[in-house]
Amino acid sequence: MQTLTPRKANTDSLIDQLDEIVASENQDLIQENANVDGQSPMGQMSKFGSEAAKHYAKTKLLSGDVVEAMNDNFIHPHDLDFLPTGTTTCAQIPLGAILKGGFNTGHGFMREPGDITSAMALSSIIFQSNQNMQHGGQSYPMFDYDLAPYVRKSYEKHRKKLLGYPVEWDEDTLEKTAWKEAERDVFQACEAFIHNCNSMHSRGGGQVPFVSINYGTDTSVEGRLLIKNLLLATKDGLGNGETPIFPIQIFKMKRGVNFEREDKNYDLYQLALETTAKRLFPNFSFIDSSVNVQHYDGTPESEVSYMGCRTRVMANRHGDDNSIQRGNLSFTSVNLVKTALVSSSVSEFFDSLGGTVDLVIKQLLERFEFQAKKQAQHFSFLYGQGVWKDSEDLKPTDSLREVLKQGTLSVGFIGLAECLVALTGKHHGESEASLELGYEIVQFMRERVDWASKQYDLNFSLIATPAEGLSGRFTRGDRDEFGLIPGVTEHDYYTNSFHVPVYYSIRAIDKIRIEGRFHELCNGGHISYIECDGDVTKNTKALDVLVKAMAENDFGYGSINHPVDRCEPCGYTGIINEECPKCGNRDQDQVERIRRITGYLVGDMKKWNTAKRAEEQERVKHGQ
């Protein structure tokens, strides 16, 4: 993208924002991302740079009609502050391949690990090194398969050591003893990995890496051992019993592997239910769903993998249909509510929406052109270590077009529920007619991005936006313009993507039935949540029913929310209302309340912006 003619900068507005950062007085500004401590020195420095970079991007790098649409509250390019750097959003990292050959962090070469302890330590380092190369998250798509060889290496080390003892071993006892020793290593390695994911700093110390892992289908002895101990270590929690926030964990469900009682990994699925009942992770993805099975060819590489927040990268016009060594390049969201509010009829709404989606496609193309002109040396780990597909042979000064064309460009959306209320008077949880219209709206956007994929020979996709700061920003802008409209602008946030409003009382099975219809349409990413009441650790059968219902209703990716509180003085973990049931502590500032903000968890809701706090307060439970 060529540099556009600069427009007059609103310098006073930028200075006002910087003043608010210094004073730490605007929660929505400094805590736009709950994974960043916006009040810390590094968090503030990051926010200074972020606001200045957004100012630069809007002034010099975006087309005038795009900036106008942003200012008019119709669209929002995500991570606009990173546009001038040319970074990409996320990557599904080929962990096994990087470990196999060893890698260079830029400060020295790491040779291939010789056991599971070293392998998982290096897995943490890879995450940390790659975090600084892009503005979003990163994931391991085949965590169990990729680490299984190093479980085997640990077993072989112990077997060899045992054979050196002056003992006459029979083969069965030798093997059992070696595996027992190896399992101890695996558990400690998993425990260390989880601790590392919650303590490593990146991006100038302002946040821990945003990381996800996908697993659950490796049926080998080694793979099963890894999955089992990863779940057990997650269930145990951190040093004082805290719930681990990272990695976001996704347990892959597959019929014939872990879905039914007779399946090899069914016991691990049951352990996953027990773990999510206590720790809110893992979430669950569904290989057999219509959106995912179309890419499945029976190999581990073709199993769907998600970024924990919901991002999904599978179809590829320039290579194999899988997520490995690929990621999202950027995404921009459409405010469906504003489009509905300025339309006098449903037909006018679709006309307006078509123009808005086309403008977003244009903006994504311009951003792609800017990214494509960057050089491999600007992202030494991402491309120098083969994280991205076909990057292994790039010279430092090579541009990135041929590599990046395998990523995705995503159109997102927010507020389908409020949009439907504005158009029909009811949202899709209240009315079958509204549900059908909602499906037509999302299908319309999907057809538009499919057309763009063919037109430009790039991987355009439709994502169900994981709105965090945006959920309140769009709402405030529309309320200022249109006033308080019941069911539309009356809340402090817009409902995420295609979800039924969190405040609407609905049975779990009905919510699953309604939202399941949209997963296949949103091929760039999706997630649905069910809110449970009470202590679900005592009722994992209910969780099993919910997960199976998700599968039956064509979910691609889902999770189960429930209260997880921890009393800091005594360490009690469970549900804490007015006082801790164990020690009687009534100081609410000493109660850690773990809640899911989008696809990920945040333990301290003081880091949430006001819109997401309001949304969390209004969430209702979904009975069966």
Side-chain angles (χ1 to χ4, degrees):
M1 178 177 63
Q2 68 181 35
T3 301
L4 304 170
T5 303
R7 290 173 294 279
K8 180 172 172 28
N10 189 348
T11 307
D12 291 342
S13 175
L14 174 61
I15 294 300
D16 289 343
Q17 288 177 311
L18 298 184
D19 284 341
E20 290 179 320
I21 295 169
V22 171
S24 296
E25 61 186 13
N26 185 337
Q27 179 78 3
D28 293 335
L29 178 64
I30 64 174
Q31 289 301 161
E32 196 170 25
N33 184 335
N35 186 36
V36 178
D37 183 358
Q39 298 191 59
S40 69
M42 290 301 103
Q44 283 193 320
M45 283 298 295
S46 175
K47 200 60 187 168
F48 279 134
S50 172
E51 294 309 314
K54 288 177 188 176
H55 182 78
Y56 180 85
K58 290 180 73 171
T59 304
K60 302 199 69 173
L61 299 179
L62 293 177
S63 300
D65 50 356
V66 171
V67 175
E68 183 179 2
M70 291 171 61
N71 292 339
D72 289 342
N73 218 37
F74 282 104
I75 69 171
H76 174 78
H78 292 266
D79 302 294
L80 182 65
D81 46 348
F82 280 95
L83 193 162
T85 71
T87 58
T88 56
T89 303
C90 57
Q92 292 280 358
I93 301 173
L95 175 61
I98 292 177
L99 290 177
K100 181 72 175 174
F103 61 93
N104 195 320
T105 64
H107 301 284
F109 185 79
M110 307 292 165
R111 61 180 176 271
E112 180 178 358
D115 56 30
I116 189 61
T117 302
S118 298
M120 295 199 80
L122 291 181
S123 299
S124 301
I125 292 172
I126 291 168
F127 267 155
Q128 187 174 31
S129 299
N130 196 63
Q131 181 78 26
N132 294 313
M133 298 290 111
Q134 49 190 39
H135 56 256
Q138 57 240 287
S139 173
Y140 291 138
M142 297 172 23
F143 198 62
D144 41 3
Y145 290 101
D146 284 342
L147 288 172
Y150 301 99
V151 175
R152 168 63 62 172
K153 285 188 175 187
S154 287
Y155 160 77
E156 290 172 348
K157 273 188 173 183
H158 285 294
R159 179 185 171 90
K160 182 178 180 180
K161 184 173 70 173
L162 290 169
L163 285 172
Y165 293 164
V167 177
E168 290 293 329
W169 296 99
D170 65 83
E171 185 59 33
D172 185 58
T173 304
L174 174 64
E175 185 170 338
K176 286 181 179 178
T177 306
W179 276 118
K180 184 177 180 181
E181 294 296 313
E183 181 161 11
R184 184 181 295 111
D185 289 350
V186 173
F187 178 80
Q188 290 176 345
C190 290
E191 189 176 53
F193 175 76
I194 291 169
H195 278 71
N196 282 335
C197 287
N198 288 274
S199 60
M200 295 184 300
H201 283 177
S202 67
R203 294 180 184 158
Q207 67 181 112
V208 293
F210 190 103
V211 296
S212 310
I213 54 176
N214 296 258
Y215 60 84
T217 55
D218 188 343
T219 58
S220 69
V221 173
E222 298 86 351
R224 284 174 47 78
L225 205 63
L226 181 83
I227 298 167
K228 171 189 170 184
N229 285 281
L230 180 65
L231 289 167
L232 289 174
T234 303
K235 195 175 176 183
D236 278 359
L238 300 177
N240 289 322
E242 304 97 326
T243 291
I245 304 304
F246 290 111
I248 303 171
Q249 299 182 38
I250 304 106
F251 190 93
K252 296 187 281 188
M253 298 294 296
K254 178 76 180 74
R255 287 181 173 84
V257 176
N258 52 31
F259 201 80
E260 302 293 350
R261 190 174 301 276
E262 63 271 15
D263 294 341
K264 184 74 176 287
N265 282 6
Y266 182 77
D267 59 331
L268 297 177
Y269 164 54
Q270 294 302 305
L271 181 56
L273 291 175
E274 293 174 17
T275 306
T276 202
K278 186 172 183 180
R279 300 299 184 184
L280 287 165
F281 285 149
N283 302 336
F284 297 90
S285 66
F286 301 90
I287 296 172
D288 296 314
S289 66
S290 56
V291 70
N292 293 327
V293 75
Q294 61 184 303
H295 304 292
Y296 181 66
D297 63 13
T299 64
E301 289 78 9
S302 65
E303 295 175 356
V304 68
S305 56
Y306 285 85
M307 201 63 55
C309 60
R310 76 193 60 195
T311 307
R312 173 188 177 278
V313 178
M314 289 299 289
N316 186 8
R317 300 180 65 85
H318 303 286
D320 296 333
D321 274 16
N322 62 52
S323 64
I324 299 170
Q325 291 183 283
R326 301 174 59 218
N328 178 251
L329 303 178
S330 67
F331 72 103
T332 295
S333 290
V334 174
N335 181 355
L336 293 179
V337 191
K338 174 68 181 282
T339 307
L341 288 172
V342 298
S343 301
S344 60
S345 66
V346 171
S347 61
E348 184 179 335
F349 168 82
F350 276 103
D351 288 342
S352 178
L353 179 60
T356 302
V357 173
D358 288 347
L359 179 64
V360 170
I361 290 168
K362 169 193 167 183
Q363 181 266 315
L364 291 171
L365 283 168
E366 291 179 343
R367 188 165 185 169
F368 170 75
E369 291 299 331
F370 186 82
Q371 292 169 318
K373 289 182 174 65
K374 288 290 183 176
Q375 297 177 352
Q377 64 184 344
H378 298 147
F379 312 92
S380 57
F381 192 85
L382 194 63
Y383 305 116
Q385 302 304 311
V387 172
W388 203 274
K389 189 172 288 190
D390 295 339
S391 65
E392 296 88 343
D393 298 325
L394 288 178
K395 297 180 178 62
T397 56
D398 284 347
S399 61
L400 302 175
R401 177 181 299 276
E402 292 305 304
V403 170
L404 293 184
K405 71 181 183 182
Q406 303 203 55
T408 58
L409 297 162
S410 297
V411 176
F413 63 96
I414 185 174
L416 178 65
E418 291 80 8
C419 163
L420 291 170
V421 173
L423 291 174
T424 71
K426 293 183 178 181
H427 60 69
H428 50 316
E430 300 172 298
S431 160
E432 285 294 322
S434 292
L435 174 58
E436 292 306 315
L437 177 58
Y439 188 86
E440 289 178 27
I441 290 170
V442 179
Q443 185 178 46
F444 175 84
M445 292 188 287
R446 171 63 186 274
E447 289 171 353
R448 215 80 173 188
V449 299
D450 285 350
W451 171 86
S453 294
K454 296 174 184 176
Q455 179 72 15
Y456 302 107
D457 197 25
L458 291 168
N459 298 309
F460 280 90
S461 63
L462 183 69
I463 186 171
T465 293
E468 194 173 323
L470 181 61
S471 64
R473 185 182 305 114
F474 270 163
T475 312
R476 288 190 298 273
D478 289 347
R479 187 185 291 165
D480 288 344
E481 183 173 353
F482 300 100
L484 196 151
I485 304 173
V488 182
T489 62
E490 68 173 313
H491 297 272
D492 290 335
Y493 55 89
Y494 284 152
T495 300
N496 243 326
S497 60
F498 53 72
H499 292 175
V500 173
V502 299
Y503 50 80
Y504 181 67
S505 182
I506 187 172
R507 292 192 311 156
I509 190 62
D510 293 329
K511 186 174 192 289
I512 289 171
R513 174 185 63 83
I514 290 168
E515 294 187 7
R517 295 188 61 186
F518 295 93
H519 281 230
E520 184 179 15
L521 294 177
C522 299
N523 59 337
H526 42 250
I527 193 172
S528 289
Y529 317 106
I530 294 299
E531 300 282 341
C532 290
D533 200 4
D535 186 358
V536 295
T537 60
K538 296 177 173 61
N539 193 7
T540 56
K541 287 184 179 179
L543 301 187
D544 178 51
V545 169
L546 290 174
V547 173
K548 296 293 178 61
M550 290 176 181
E552 292 302 317
N553 286 274
D554 213 22
F555 270 38
Y557 182 36
S559 67
I560 299 168
N561 294 343
H562 53 88
V564 175
D565 303 327
R566 188 181 73 89
C567 177
E568 293 177 354
C570 75
Y572 171 82
T573 298
I575 298 175
I576 303 174
N577 295 317
E578 296 301 317
E579 67 176 38
C580 173
K582 182 178 179 182
C583 72
N585 171 46
R586 299 179 64 88
D587 187 347
Q588 295 300 305
D589 289 335
Q590 293 183 325
V591 177
E592 179 186 66
R593 301 191 184 277
I594 303 292
R595 300 293 184 269
R596 200 183 309 273
I597 188 165
T598 53
Y600 68 100
L601 307 180
V602 177
D604 183 358
M605 285 194 288
K606 291 191 290 290
K607 293 182 181 179
W608 290 32
N609 62 63
T610 55
K612 294 306 287 187
R613 283 191 196 180
E615 189 242 88
E616 193 277 334
Q617 287 294 313
E618 295 181 5
R619 294 176 187 175
V620 300
K621 308 302 180 183
H622 304 123
Q624 295 190 50

